[in-house]
Amino acid sequence: MAMEIERKFLVKKDVWENWEKEPPHYLRQGYLFKDLVKTARVRVSDDTGYMTVKGKTIGISRAEYEFEIPKQDAEDLLSAFCDTVVTKQRYIVPFEGKIWEVDVFLEQNEGLLVAEIELTEETETFTLPPFIDVEVTGDKKYYNSQLAVKPYKEW
Amino acid sequence: MAMEIERKFLVKKDVWENWEKEPPHYLRQGYLFKDLVKTARVRVSDDTGYMTVKGKTIGISRAEYEFEIPKQDAEDLLSAFCDTVVTKQRYIVPFEGKIWEVDVFLEQNEGLLVAEIELTEETETFTLPPFIDVEVTGDKKYYNSQLAVKPYKEW
């Protein structure tokens, strides 16, 4: 089993706009299943499909199982079974030896920018890039599974 | 999308016992998620893991998406998230140009033997092997997802 240990922050838009960055990936994802202890997510990232099962978050960690699946199957699962699809551009940003993922949400979540860093242990330290704003780790309304049902534009 | 079109029958045990057959596969499977319109199943078959999403059965057909996953991930998902695991031996039986799967259930479902044939269209015809007993296609209590929650020994 893989454990996902992740911290999440809002992004200062003015700093981010002037940040030099590589072109983003385009992600579309939906939630096939969601219960009290786990979710199953389907994602299309550029030309690849993924199915991901995640356990309940405990502290800042959770179990994660990710499988690559055919893109067409991922598309079919999204259209057959997911009422809401979350879309975003994902920028990969190296900063002081760590990799940040900055998600610029689109459509119903347009206006929301979130930066995430994946850690190998909960106590791992790192330097915050200048575009980082307040931390929102553990705030459920920023969970992508929540953004699918209660998008940013409806807050 | 793949469509699964399947008919299911009980098995005459005396005929089956004397049937010449190849050694079976050993299957362990559980249901990660189940809602009104779909299920997600995790299976270990011999040395391979599978994740399968199936839609609601309409007539004798349903959408099916199956993905091979690492065996260890399948084992972990079964132990972390599936309360009940259904175990069975699966025999692959060629008969008059068709392939039958005969499942001999174990543990909580011991005593139950079910034969399935997968078809390419609903109206396809085929010859019943001598070990075939009554048809149970569409009878929900024989769904593997049901056998996980209400096993044969409790009927």
Side-chain angles (χ1 to χ4, degrees):
Chain A
M1 178 193 65
M3 287 302 289
E4 178 187 59
I5 308 172
E6 201 172 74
R7 291 178 65 181
K8 191 182 283 197
F9 300 83
L10 296 184
V11 170
K12 290 177 177 158
K13 290 178 195 175
D14 50 344
V15 185
W16 175 248
E17 275 168 16
N18 294 303
W19 195 264
E20 197 181 327
K21 42 200 177 268
E22 297 291 315
H25 302 283
Y26 177 63
L27 271 58
R28 301 173 58 239
Q29 63 190 46
Y31 290 83
L32 262 187
F33 297 97
K34 195 167 132 185
D35 65 24
L36 292 175
V37 297
K38 59 195 185 304
T39 58
R41 186 189 71 199
V42 175
R43 172 184 281 176
V44 178
S45 171
D46 300 332
D47 284 324
T48 312
Y50 297 93
M51 162 94 76
T52 309
V53 177
K54 297 192 186 203
K56 196 179 168 72
T57 303
I58 296 163
I60 63 168
S61 307
R62 58 178 166 175
E64 184 187 83
Y65 302 84
E66 184 155 79
F67 312 110
E68 205 175 304
I69 67 174
K71 184 190 181 187
Q72 190 57 53
D73 283 352
E75 295 281 8
D76 290 348
L77 286 167
L78 282 177
S79 66
F81 295 127
C82 300
D83 292 335
T84 324
V85 175
V86 171
T87 54
K88 56 189 180 183
Q89 292 175 311
R90 168 162 288 181
Y91 292 84
I92 305 298
V93 184
F95 185 77
E96 301 217 351
K98 303 281 184 196
I99 300 292
W100 290 78
E101 293 174 343
V102 177
D103 287 348
V104 177
F105 287 85
L106 304 170
E107 298 180 71
Q108 288 308 303
N109 289 295
E110 200 185 323
L112 178 63
L113 279 74
V114 171
E116 289 177 349
I117 184 168
E118 202 159 317
L119 306 173
T120 51
E121 48 185 284
E122 296 207 359
T123 54
E124 192 176 341
T125 58
F126 50 89
T127 310
L128 295 177
F131 56 76
I132 291 298
D133 200 345
V134 294
E135 182 160 12
V136 294
T137 306
D139 186 337
K140 288 192 172 59
K141 71 175 182 287
Y142 291 102
Y143 285 12
N144 280 257
S145 56
Q146 268 304 112
L147 294 172
V149 291
K150 187 155 187 187
Y152 183 66
K153 284 195 176 176
E154 291 175 15
W155 291 8
Chain B
M1 181 192 63
M3 286 303 289
E4 177 188 61
I5 308 172
E6 201 172 73
R7 290 178 65 181
K8 191 182 284 197
F9 300 83
L10 296 185
V11 170
K12 290 177 178 158
K13 290 178 196 177
D14 51 341
V15 185
W16 175 248
E17 275 166 17
N18 295 302
W19 196 264
E20 196 180 329
K21 43 201 176 266
E22 297 290 316
H25 302 283
Y26 178 62
L27 271 59
R28 301 173 59 238
Q29 63 190 46
Y31 290 83
L32 263 188
F33 297 97
K34 195 168 132 184
D35 65 25
L36 291 174
V37 297
K38 59 194 185 303
T39 58
R41 186 189 70 198
V42 175
R43 172 183 281 177
V44 178
S45 171
D46 301 331
D47 285 322
T48 312
Y50 297 93
M51 162 94 77
T52 309
V53 178
K54 297 191 186 203
K56 198 178 168 70
T57 303
I58 296 162
I60 63 168
S61 307
R62 58 178 166 175
E64 184 187 82
Y65 302 85
E66 185 155 77
F67 312 110
E68 205 175 305
I69 66 174
K71 184 191 180 186
Q72 190 56 53
D73 283 352
E75 295 281 7
D76 289 349
L77 287 167
L78 283 177
S79 65
F81 295 127
C82 300
D83 292 335
T84 324
V85 174
V86 171
T87 55
K88 56 189 180 181
Q89 292 175 311
R90 169 162 287 181
Y91 293 85
I92 305 298
V93 184
F95 184 78
E96 301 217 351
K98 303 281 184 196
I99 300 291
W100 290 79
E101 292 174 343
V102 177
D103 287 347
V104 177
F105 287 84
L106 304 170
E107 298 181 73
Q108 288 307 303
N109 289 295
E110 200 185 325
L112 179 62
L113 279 74
V114 171
E116 290 177 349
I117 184 169
E118 201 159 318
L119 306 173
T120 51
E121 49 185 284
E122 296 207 359
T123 54
E124 192 177 339
T125 58
F126 49 90
T127 310
L128 294 178
F131 56 76
I132 291 298
D133 201 346
V134 294
E135 181 160 12
V136 294
T137 305
D139 185 337
K140 289 190 172 59
K141 72 174 182 287
Y142 291 102
Y143 285 12
N144 280 255
S145 56
Q146 268 304 112
L147 294 173
V149 291
K150 188 157 187 184
Y152 184 66
K153 284 195 175 176
E154 291 174 16
W155 291 8

